[in-house]
Amino acid sequence: MMKPKQVHMALWRRMILAALRVKVRFSDVDAVTSGVPMILTCNHQSLLDGLILAFACPTKMVFPVTPKHSVENLFTSCGLRLLERLGLGWVVPMNSHHPYALRQLQRALEAGRSVAIFPEGRIARSDEHLPHKAGVQWLQERTGAPVVRARLTGADQSRLFARAGKKLRPQITLEIGTG
């Protein structure tokens, strides 16, 4: 049974997702709620993607975020720290040229925390399919954590948060456990 604070947090998360016009579908709820540390991978379409994952996932996740947003930009770094304090997860500055952050993610998985990662490494244009970087495979080989796939659609249409979006409030769908 959920504690009152957990119920309050779940309702708050649903209200935020509804305000962002996000529909969440779980193909495999057990993969996300089993309590086993996992690596959640998702395509990357906009600056909202990490927030959407944080609000949609019932478990706290560790999010690798580029230093440009997690450290250097005052607005985004303060926003990310606020989300950490609200209990939505943890942020690890991730520089693709230095392996230290991957080791931090490995330690997080070994300590029982789940990791959410965008394996393409950057935001893709809507018509672009980027190759996956080697980090997910490296983490999976070293920790044995299962990889759960998620897919975002519609976030690339956001005029405010995507590269070339044309809609102010697009309908966004997140499918978790897509296989």
Side-chain angles (χ1 to χ4, degrees), residues 10-81:
L11 290 173
W12 180 73
R13 287 176 175 210
R14 285 188 189 146
M15 288 184 347
I16 297 292
L17 290 169
L20 294 173
R21 297 192 60 197
V22 178
K23 290 183 181 177
V24 181
R25 295 187 193 126
F26 289 93
S27 300
D28 187 2
V29 176
D30 294 336
V32 182
T33 60
S34 68
V36 175
M38 66 172 164
I39 304 167
L40 179 68
T41 65
C42 188
N43 60 314
H44 204 359
Q45 295 188 325
S46 76
L47 293 173
L48 281 177
D49 300 349
L51 295 174
I52 291 170
L53 287 177
F55 285 116
C57 289
T59 59
K60 287 184 182 181
M61 304 287 245
V62 177
F63 292 90
V65 179
T66 177
K68 176 182 175 183
H69 296 296
S70 61
V71 178
E72 297 165 14
N73 184 304
L74 182 63
F75 178 75
T76 56
S77 64
C78 287
L80 291 170
R81 281 195 300 273

Side-chain angles (χ1 to χ4, degrees), residues 7 17 19 32 45 75 92-93 114 121 139 158 167:
V7 172
L17 290 169
V32 182
Q45 295 188 325
F75 178 75
V92 173
S114 293
L139 284 170
S158 172
K167 297 180 181 177

